[in-house]
């Protein structure tokens, strides 16, 4: 089995590789926007390639297809949102070549990657409560709550976010931003709960593992977390997964304020902290691959307990691939 893992600079890369490398007779190839000597996870794989940015769609796809051809790749596992956005468009081309791109179905990705569609999709759901949202174009000054937060509809990792404390600041952003690419929400303060979820294709099994992010970077990556077994957000995340008929591993973010739980984001790829789920006793990466091979995910066999995990950084000296 030959697997290509993209975006090895992602915070999830090492956790994913360390799980899949244990599969018998597996060959793992990786790629990244930056060279091997800038990419710590490159030390864990057999072959590495520097590729174009996913923003350069055509060049990126050609680079990935070339790697797949050179190494007889069977499965491609993308680790970042921009790559998922591109690869879902070209899914059928890979399929024609006998290559499976390990992502959810296009319909669920289309909703998950659009924050306004997430809001509209769950607006009348009986148990899921999305954060109230409006497009910047449709914002009614007389009905807005301040402070407000402005988010790119198709954003990632907290990039491009702005705040409006009052009406005049909102008017400034309305004139400065592309109003069809931004949504506006009330600024909510509460605990951030991230749930790693894996759902097998037939929907008969779905595992969710929740954690509270105690320390979180400015781009939304948890550094210190508390595992929360049987938290209500686990059950809500499974509801979201079934509602969208998602496939494989993805993560869902909620914000909890007192006794209210709001759906914040759905990310159709591994979370930056997927290693924390593995530390708590469940291997999301392995089950993700099984969704696209056997169609059956691993059962949750361990009794998880509430526990705090943290992460640090290690320095490496790496060599270039030639």
């Amino acid at each position: 089995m030959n697997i290509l893992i993209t975006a090895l600079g992602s915070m999830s890369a090492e956790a994913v590789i360390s799980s899949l490398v244990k599969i018998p007779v597996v060959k793992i190839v990786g790629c990244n926007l930056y060279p091997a000597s800038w990419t710590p996870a490159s030390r864990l794989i057999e072959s590495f390639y520097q590729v174009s940015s996913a923003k350069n769609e055509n060049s990126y796809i050609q680079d990935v297809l070339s790697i797949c051809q050179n190494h007889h790749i069977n499965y491609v596992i993308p680790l970042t949102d921009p790559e998922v956005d591109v690869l879902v468009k070209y899914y059928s081309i890979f399929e024609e070549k006998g290559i499976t791109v390990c992502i959810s179905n296009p319909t669920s990705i289309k909703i998950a990657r659009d924050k306004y569609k997430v809001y509209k999709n769950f607006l009348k759901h009986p148990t899921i409560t999305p954060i109230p949202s409006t497009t910047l174009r449709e914002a009614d000054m007389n009905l807005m709550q301040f402070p407000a937060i402005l988010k790119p509809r198709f954003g990632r990792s907290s990039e491009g976010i702005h705040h409006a404390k009052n009406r005049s600041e909102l008017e400034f952003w309305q004139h400065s931003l592309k109003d069809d690419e931004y949504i506006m929400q009330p600024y909510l303060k509460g605990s951030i709960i991230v749930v790693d979820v894996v759902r097998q294709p037939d929907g008969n099994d779905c595992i969710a593992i929740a954690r509270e992010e105690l320390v979180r970077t400015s781009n939304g990556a948890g550094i210190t977390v508390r595992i929360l077994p049987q938290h209500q957000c686990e059950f809500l995340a499974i509801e979201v997964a079934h509602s969208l008929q998602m496939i494989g591993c993805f993560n869902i973010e909620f914000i909890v304020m007192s006794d209210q739980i709001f759906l914040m984001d759905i990310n159709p790829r591994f979370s930056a902290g997927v290693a924390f789920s593995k530390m708590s006793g469940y291997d999301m990466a392995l089950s993700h691959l099984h969704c696209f091979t056997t169609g059956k995910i691993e059962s949750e066999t361990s009794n998880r307990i509430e526990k705090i995990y943290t992460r640090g950084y290690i320095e490496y000296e790496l060599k270039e691939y030639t």
Side-chain angles (χ1 to χ4, degrees):
M1 181 188 300
N2 299 334
I3 302 172
L4 171 62
I5 300 177
T6 73
L8 291 199
S10 165
M11 291 184 75
S12 63
E14 295 207 15
V16 173
I17 294 169
S18 64
S19 292
L20 302 186
V21 76
K22 297 176 182 178
I23 300 172
V25 199
V26 68
K27 176 182 178 182
I28 297 182
V29 178
C31 63
N32 195 35
L33 173 62
Y34 300 112
S37 59
W38 298 9
T39 309
S42 67
R43 75 191 193 283
L44 303 175
I45 60 173
E46 294 189 33
S47 299
F48 175 89
Y49 291 84
Q50 185 175 359
V51 296
S52 304
S53 167
K55 295 177 181 178
N56 300 322
E57 191 171 304
N58 292 333
S59 297
Y60 173 78
I61 288 296
Q62 290 305 314
D63 288 346
V64 172
L65 285 172
S66 177
I67 296 169
C68 289
Q69 181 178 4
N70 291 342
H71 291 274
H72 306 288
I73 296 296
N74 309 110
Y75 300 94
V76 176
I77 301 179
L79 300 185
T80 65
D81 293 320
E83 293 176 311
V84 171
D85 292 342
V86 174
L87 288 167
V88 73
K89 296 180 184 179
Y90 294 86
Y91 186 92
S92 60
I93 292 178
F94 285 86
E95 191 174 42
E96 289 169 2
K97 297 179 181 295
I99 304 163
T100 299
V101 180
C102 300
I103 54 178
S104 192
N105 62 78
T107 301
S108 68
I109 290 174
K110 186 175 182 179
I111 294 173
R113 290 288 296 125
D114 184 335
K115 291 177 172 57
Y116 190 59
K117 283 186 181 294
V118 168
Y119 165 70
K120 297 290 282 187
N121 190 80
F122 291 99
L123 180 58
K124 297 182 180 180
H125 195 280
T127 57
I128 307 297
T129 305
I131 298 176
S133 305
T134 182
T135 62
L136 195 55
R137 175 183 298 169
E138 298 170 344
D140 186 336
M141 289 290 186
N142 297 316
L143 299 177
M144 282 309 302
Q145 300 178 39
F146 295 101
I149 185 168
L150 291 78
K151 300 178 179 179
R153 284 182 63 167
F154 309 96
R156 61 182 290 264
S157 303
S158 300
E159 294 176 355
I161 285 180
H162 303 286
H163 295 83
K165 297 177 184 177
N166 49 50
R167 181 169 179 158
S168 62
E169 289 188 6
L170 177 56
E171 289 175 342
F172 169 81
W173 290 120
Q174 283 183 314
H175 286 95
S176 302
L177 301 173
K178 294 182 179 179
D179 54 14
D180 59 339
E181 294 182 4
Y182 270 78
I183 63 165
M184 186 160 49
Q185 300 174 336
Y187 179 72
L188 305 180
K189 292 191 70 174
S191 299
I192 303 297
I193 308 295
V194 176
V195 188
D196 285 329
V197 188
V198 62
R199 180 181 182 271
Q200 66 187 39
D202 62 11
N204 288 335
D205 205 356
C206 186
I207 303 293
I209 298 179
R211 62 181 180 268
E212 179 184 7
E213 305 222 315
L214 304 175
V215 180
R216 186 174 167 96
T217 67
S218 60
N219 65 344
I223 299 299
T224 301
V225 307
R226 178 187 286 114
I227 298 296
L228 300 174
Q230 302 300 306
H231 192 277
Q232 180 65 18
C233 286
E234 291 186 344
F235 304 102
L236 294 177
I238 290 173
E239 282 282 332
V240 172
H242 289 319
S243 176
L244 297 183
Q245 297 185 327
M246 298 190 77
I247 300 170
C249 185
F250 48 96
N251 71 93
I252 301 174
E253 298 182 17
F254 298 91
I255 185 166
V256 181
M257 301 173 57
S258 300
D259 58 348
Q260 287 186 295
I261 300 176
F262 293 95
L263 171 62
M264 190 164 68
D265 283 311
I266 305 170
N267 302 302
R269 40 79 181 164
F270 293 110
S271 69
V274 70
F276 294 128
S277 290
K278 186 176 180 181
M279 292 173 72
S280 77
Y282 191 81
D283 195 326
M284 286 283 171
L286 190 60
S287 280
H288 178 70
L289 182 62
H290 285 174
C291 286
F292 302 94
T293 54
T294 67
K296 301 290 182 181
I297 64 175
E298 298 288 309
S299 299
E300 188 175 11
T301 56
S302 63
N303 294 317
R304 291 181 286 118
I305 61 173
E306 183 173 320
K307 198 167 186 178
I308 292 177
Y309 297 107
T310 190
R311 74 192 332 159
Y313 298 92
I314 300 175
E315 291 72 36
Y316 299 97
E317 179 180 352
L318 299 174
K319 63 180 180 180
E320 297 271 7
Y321 279 85
T322 56

